[in-house]
Amino acid sequence: MPEGRPRFVGWLGVILSFLAVLVFVVPRDLSMEKQYTGDLRNRVVGARLIHDGRSPYFYKWKTGDGVRYYDPANFDSLRSSNSTATPFFHHLLIPLAEWPESRASIGWLIAEYLFFGGILALALSMAATIPRRWTILLTAALFLLTAGWKAHIALGQSYICIPFFAMLFLWFLIRGAERHIAGRLRPADLNHPASLFYPAAAGLAAAFLVLIKPNAILFLLPFLFLTRAFSRRQLWACCAVPVILLAWILISPQERALWVDYREGVTEQIKMHQHLHPALQQNEPDPHLAVFEGIDQRAVAELEARQPLSLFSENGNVFVLVEKLFHRRLSLTMMSVAAGTLILLLTGLYFLRLRHSPPGPSTPGPPASTLQHAAIMGFCLYMVSDLFSPVYRHQYYTVQWICPLLIAAALFEPALRRYYILLLAGLLLNIFHADFIKMGHTLGEYLLLVTLLAFVLLPDRRSPVLHNFS
């Protein structure tokens, strides 16, 4: 049989499988969107408030405010609102937020798929072999079937932005180290002015990532051990945009005030989730608007009754597991100390892993595999902080795992199949719900974390090469 035929048959099978999943999930997701994406509403209202020069973090609706700021989920006895996104994310959402809610919801569904498609395209561009591209497509197809993706779509959540900007940062770094010329990859000329574009773009992606989710700064930590592989000009270019955005926040009185409110709002959210007596006040009651901005709540209720959503959510926080297993609550101090200690320990192990790796190549810039391993490690550090969060993590948080999973798929080697079997098991546990497996989705999430850490930290002569630049 000609060599090209098995490859063609393989590609055909993978593409048909991916398309079959899309044919199933797209109508499902369109149907879920019609049942009101409630979490999107607080972000839309928050963006409108900021656009109008107001802070969303302690806003409570009052008679006369009209439907522009109306959010059915923001009526309670708390002083703080249900707005938890950062000021920067609200700024990004302002163009979409000016649409009526029904139109904004459709627009955000399209945006979610565009973010997903962007992550997939970036991952495919990092794969050097056909089997790796197959692995990426199959992983992406399975990810669309997870409970996390379903919950993300149904609620109009925004966590898909985090893996997108993390992947974009990695892609620009790789492109900065290797430029595609005449169909071949060769090291970039670091002294050429054009080579500064890629690190500057990477810095922009990093700034967006951290300003959307501040603890995502941990994702960047492993890359600090690779800075000697880049020229000073590249490092300055990478830092330029974050410094400019930080200066904008510090100089602008309005931005400073928003970030102060955001921090205080998050503190109140933590108090609420940890039962630490959040601030209360008398708020106006919900007027129960039957129709607002194209959303007919009676029609939504009827649709939910006819087509009930099959959503299963678990809270995978460490403090939840400790309480279930040992019947005791962790204090905020204990959670912070435990998370910090684990992050420092893992970072130290990664540094030692690099120190015992072969020296980097004489050509400028680290190879793609070293950057990809750093990205997986960084994302695991970020997810450790996420799992130790004192705020309840719902199922849509697991959408973030798409970033390290697709990077690992881009490094696929048959000799390392034991890692990929475990990753597949973790992914399947996040797809199927079985009553006889207690906390199955959570078990799958922790399995993903442990396997990815082992993939990066355990030495293996058959693994893609890591290089020491420290």
Side-chain angles (χ1 to χ4, degrees):
M1 183 182 292
E3 181 183 351
R5 184 162 181 190
R7 181 175 295 180
F8 171 76
V9 173
W11 265 118
L12 183 63
V14 170
I15 291 174
L16 287 178
S17 299
F18 186 78
L19 291 176
V21 171
L22 282 180
V23 168
F24 170 72
V25 300
V26 171
R28 178 202 69 187
D29 292 352
L30 285 169
S31 175
M32 289 194 298
E33 184 277 329
K34 292 177 182 177
Q35 297 190 30
Y36 181 58
T37 51
D39 286 356
L40 175 65
R41 182 60 182 175
N42 75 66
R43 288 154 174 76
V44 166
V45 170
R48 290 173 177 178
L49 285 163
I50 287 179
H51 184 251
D52 296 343
R54 304 174 66 179
S55 172
Y57 300 107
F58 293 92
Y59 168 80
K60 293 294 181 177
W61 189 88
K62 293 179 175 57
T63 302
D65 284 354
V67 298
R68 179 170 173 80
Y69 304 143
Y70 176 71
D71 178 3
N74 193 28
F75 290 90
D76 49 39
S77 59
L78 296 172
R79 175 174 171 263
S80 63
S81 73
N82 61 343
S83 186
T84 57
T86 64
F88 186 78
F89 181 80
H90 283 128
H91 281 299
L92 296 179
L93 200 64
I94 284 173
L96 186 75
E98 291 305 314
W99 295 351
E101 182 67 26
S102 57
R103 186 181 172 193
S105 182
I106 287 289
W108 186 248
L109 175 64
I110 294 171
E112 288 173 286
Y113 268 92
L114 288 175
F115 282 125
F116 176 85
I119 294 168
L120 177 57
L122 293 170
L124 287 170
S125 72
M126 298 177 194
T129 66
I130 298 299
R132 291 178 179 180
R133 292 170 186 161
W134 291 351
T135 306
I136 289 170
L137 280 174
L138 292 174
T139 302
L142 287 173
F143 207 88
L144 290 173
L145 300 173
T146 60
W149 178 259
K150 287 173 62 179
H152 197 280
I153 294 295
L155 296 170
Q157 265 293 338
S158 54
Y159 281 87
I160 191 65
C161 298
I162 297 164
F164 172 75
F165 285 110
M167 189 72 84
L168 198 62
F169 168 79
L170 174 63
W171 186 84
F172 279 122
L173 277 191
I174 291 175
R175 290 291 293 177
E178 297 174 330
R179 298 176 68 190
H180 195 274
I181 300 176
R184 297 177 59 191
L185 288 173
R186 76 179 192 185
D189 177 7
L190 300 188
N191 295 317
H192 196 282
S195 69
L196 300 181
F197 167 79
Y198 294 108
L204 178 64
F208 273 51
L209 174 66
V210 175
L211 291 174
I212 289 173
K213 190 74 170 174
N215 61 318
I217 196 170
L218 292 168
F219 168 74
L220 306 174
L221 188 56
F223 293 95
L224 296 179
F225 300 125
L226 305 177
T227 53
R228 293 184 64 181
F230 296 94
S231 70
R232 285 188 178 181
R233 294 178 66 196
Q234 286 185 310
L235 292 176
W236 278 111
C238 190
C239 294
V241 174
V243 168
I244 292 171
L245 289 175
L246 180 61
W248 166 58
I249 292 170
L250 294 175
I251 292 172
S252 168
Q254 181 183 3
E255 287 304 309
R256 284 202 316 273
L258 286 173
W259 280 94
V260 169
D261 271 9
Y262 168 72
R263 183 184 62 188
E264 293 179 1
V266 169
T267 300
E268 289 299 313
Q269 289 290 327
I270 291 172
K271 289 179 181 178
M272 181 185 67
H273 285 255
Q274 294 297 315
H275 309 290
L276 296 175
H277 310 294
L280 304 177
Q281 66 181 24
Q282 184 69 36
N283 298 312
E284 292 196 25
D286 184 356
H288 296 289
L289 303 181
V291 180
F292 66 95
E293 297 188 357
I295 304 296
D296 186 332
Q297 299 207 65
R298 182 175 299 176
V300 169
E302 292 175 355
L303 182 60
E304 289 175 348
R306 292 196 311 269
Q307 301 175 6
L309 291 179
S310 178
L311 296 177
F312 182 80
S313 183
E314 295 175 358
N315 302 124
N317 307 67
V318 170
F319 80 84
V320 173
L321 298 182
V322 169
E323 187 170 5
K324 286 181 178 293
L325 293 173
F326 304 105
H327 308 291
R328 60 175 298 179
R329 292 189 67 86
L330 291 177
S331 68
L332 291 177
T333 300
M334 291 175 66
M335 278 185 266
S336 299
V337 170
T341 302
L342 183 55
I343 288 168
L344 287 174
L345 176 62
L346 293 173
T347 304
L349 291 174
Y350 177 73
F351 176 72
L352 292 175
R353 175 78 173 93
L354 280 179
R355 286 290 297 270
H356 289 88
S357 300
S362 58
T363 53
S369 62
T370 300
L371 292 170
Q372 288 166 319
H373 277 78
I376 294 174
M377 186 67 208
F379 215 91
C380 286
L381 295 177
Y382 160 66
M383 291 305 288
V384 166
S385 73
D386 204 55
L387 291 166
F388 273 91
S389 170
V391 174
Y392 283 101
R393 301 173 72 255
H394 300 295
Q395 205 59 54
Y396 47 75
Y397 279 69
T398 59
V399 163
Q400 299 169 106
W401 286 109
I402 191 174
C403 176
L405 282 175
L406 291 191
I407 296 172
L411 294 168
F412 173 76
E413 291 288 346
L416 300 174
R417 57 184 172 274
R418 63 185 181 276
Y419 292 115
Y420 294 94
I421 290 172
L422 291 172
L423 292 176
L424 176 61
L427 199 50
L428 292 176
L429 283 168
N430 275 278
I431 294 175
F432 301 105
H433 169 63
D435 291 332
F436 64 89
I437 302 178
K438 300 300 181 183
M439 299 288 286
H441 293 339
T442 299
L443 178 62
E445 191 170 4
Y446 281 84
L447 180 58
L448 293 177
L449 174 63
V450 172
T451 304
L452 288 166
L453 286 171
F455 182 84
V456 174
L457 295 176
L458 294 182
D460 195 315
R461 59 183 177 82
R462 297 166 297 182
S463 66
V465 179
L466 282 174
H467 292 285
N468 174 21
F469 291 92
S470 59

